[in-house]
Amino acid sequence: MKIIDKFLKNPNKTLFSIEVLPPLKGKKITDLFEVIEPLIEFSPAFIDVTYHPEEVLYKRREDGLIEEIPLRKRPGTVGICAAISYKFNVETVPHLVCVGFSKEETEDALFSLYYQGIENILLLQGDKKNNLVVKSNEHTYASDLVKQVNEMNSGRFLHEETENELQTDFCIGVAGYPEKHFEAPNFNTDLKHLKQKVENGADYIVTQMFFENKKYFDFVQKCRDIGIQVPIIPGLKPIDSKRQLTLLPSKFHVDIPDELTNALEKAKNKSQVEQIGMEWCIQQSIELKKAGVPCLHYYTMSKSKIVAQIAKSVF
Ligand code: FAD
């Protein structure tokens, strides 16, 4: 079922959803199942599965020459979606990125997803790390990728040689940033680009994590003010280590408020840190739910114990 239809079917309910990462290459899929298992009792409306673009490693050989090794650390997004759906009978949402995909490869991937019965996808530019493998005709921005999927949804494909007996019917999600995307020159420009994604066919928005609800509420208001009407799903992450006080701001470009920072700094051990992070996230969740958000989306980062405790308190 399409995610937007789930929202329409449950207009007065806040749904629960999660994001998981594919296992590291060589690790067992059962590790991922163990992350998901404790959350199934809360009936996730959908499970997002992240995509990790190919990187290149350079390794010195015995003869002194440098060998280039293409490597995807977490492969298998599409297969993993199928495995999760099969095991838990739950809607899965693969992430698809611009980075590393030619337009033709994107089209092929979309056909595979369509034939597999996937109805929902989250379209992103993709994290731009060093050593990424790029394609000469890949999309630059997520809005271009949205446009391509929207064309496919209208039965128009890249090349006229492709049979056109079908049109896909994907429900399209995109990312939004309550604290601005780090590359955007300013907030309004970023919002304009977000609006472009919606005008190109995005059905809903999932936000980057944030630790002050005011940021989300202001963001939603600004989106509405410029005519973005689609559902905006808040993304939440419980902090579970002191290291994340610097890691999350540097990786995700988000602020951690004074009150939370001070409390975490004072924590004497790991379990106190987890307790503080969890309680903060519960308070955020309760307030957002009261405000009637369509769904609360939790970034598990391969850990579910704390998210399960949050879900128990909130749903
Ligand atoms: P875009 O919407 O393309 O925007 C990127 C930047 O370009 C912004 O600053 C925007 O303002 C600007 N911009 C957009 N259009 C234009 C234009 N026409 N002209 C000039 N500037 C423009 N990364 C992964 O690699 N894999 C994942 O699975 C993944 N999942 C994510 C899930 C969520 C919910 C979120 C919030 C992020 C995720 N990311 C993932 C990270 C994401 O790929 C990065 O944040 C990336 O830097 C931006 O992605 P985007 O889709 O928002 O980009």
Side-chain angles (χ1 to χ4, degrees), residues 242 245 258-268 273 276:
K242 283 197 187 186
L245 282 173
D258 273 349
E259 195 186 333
L260 178 57
T261 306
N262 292 340
L264 289 165
E265 277 172 351
K266 279 188 203 136
K268 292 194 176 66
V273 169
I276 291 163

Side-chain angles (χ1 to χ4, degrees), residues 19 48-53 77 94-99 122-129 140-144 174-177 180-186 189-194 196-197 206-209 235 252 297 299:
E19 179 191 279
D48 273 43
V49 182
T50 55
Y51 185 86
H52 298 262
T77 301
H95 292 188
L96 235 70
V97 301
C98 302
V99 176
L122 191 80
L123 303 181
L124 304 137
Q125 185 184 54
D127 273 331
K128 288 191 220 146
K129 295 186 210 141
T140 308
Y141 298 112
S143 54
D144 305 322
V174 291
Y177 301 82
K180 184 182 93 60
H181 184 263
F182 71 103
E183 282 177 342
N186 57 58
T189 307
D190 202 27
L191 277 184
K192 213 174 66 193
H193 294 144
L194 178 59
Q196 188 66 60
K197 292 195 268 195
V206 183
T207 77
Q208 181 57 280
M209 66 183 74
F252 300 105
H297 186 67
Y299 296 109

